[in-house]
Amino acid sequence: MPSIAVPHDFFLSERNTAYADWHGAFWRELISNSVDAGATRLHVRTRFTPDGGFLIDFADNGTGMGRQTIETVYMRLGASTKRDEAGIGGFGRARILTCFSQRAYRIRTANLVVTGEGGDYEIRETDSSVKGCAISVTADPDEARRLTRALTMVLQQ
């Protein structure tokens, strides 16, 4: 069955118009997802890559995601596991912010590794399993200063 192709510019436009401060929202969303997954530890590392990207590694020791959640929720815009009685949920906007609008992303959870750029992704199974979830995002290096500053602000809150 054919599917809708979504150009990378769409994700950038959504990120830039849906969030007044997408840099701060980026970090709040990653932290919030970790807390919701029961994480008691977070690890954050940022650095520039030899090819000129700005790499963000964010890992937690929460429950992580299984293949079904990745395929039917995480990689589907409009799908969410977060709904309260009033029907409020994310509808996939956070994934646009944290992964799809960035240069590239990699998610490691359970025995799965997801690699992608924009809406294109691949899921690979590994022989070993990890606890929690680790997301590595390659952001535009022009955003490094704002993302670093936003992380500091979010952690101070």
Side-chain angles (χ1 to χ4, degrees):
M1 171 185 300
S3 62
I4 297 171
V6 181
H8 192 257
D9 285 349
F10 169 80
F11 296 122
L12 287 173
S13 176
E14 282 294 299
R15 176 194 75 190
N16 295 337
T17 58
Y19 296 92
D21 169 24
W22 77 259
H23 301 90
F26 175 91
W27 295 110
R28 283 189 299 276
E29 193 57 46
L30 290 174
I31 293 168
S32 174
N33 285 346
S34 295
V35 169
D36 289 347
T40 58
R41 283 181 313 178
L42 303 176
H43 175 80
V44 179
R45 179 180 176 201
T46 63
R47 64 193 179 283
F48 288 97
T49 61
D51 66 351
F54 182 63
L55 186 63
I56 298 165
D57 294 319
F58 186 94
D60 69 38
N61 66 340
T63 57
M65 295 180 282
R67 186 178 194 105
Q68 182 175 356
T69 300
I70 290 172
E71 289 179 340
T72 63
V73 179
Y74 199 89
M75 294 302 178
R76 292 189 186 210
L77 297 179
S80 178
T81 59
K82 297 177 184 176
R83 301 235 187 257
D84 67 14
E85 298 79 34
I88 298 169
F91 299 106
R93 286 212 179 273
R95 296 181 289 280
I96 291 173
L97 173 66
T98 59
C99 289
F100 306 151
S101 66
Q102 307 302 329
R103 283 188 176 183
Y105 54 91
R106 180 181 186 271
I107 302 167
R108 176 80 164 103
T109 185
N111 69 329
L112 305 170
V113 176
V114 180
T115 54
E117 294 178 8
D120 298 322
Y121 68 95
E122 175 183 49
I123 301 175
R124 187 173 44 86
E125 291 189 19
T126 65
D127 292 333
S128 63
S129 187
V130 297
K131 178 158 177 58
C133 185
I135 297 178
S136 295
V137 176
T138 303
D140 188 320
D142 294 341
E143 302 294 348
R145 176 171 283 157
R146 285 190 214 129
L147 282 163
T148 303
R149 203 175 297 144
L151 174 59
T152 302
M153 296 296 290
V154 168
L155 291 175
Q156 288 175 346
Q157 291 177 347

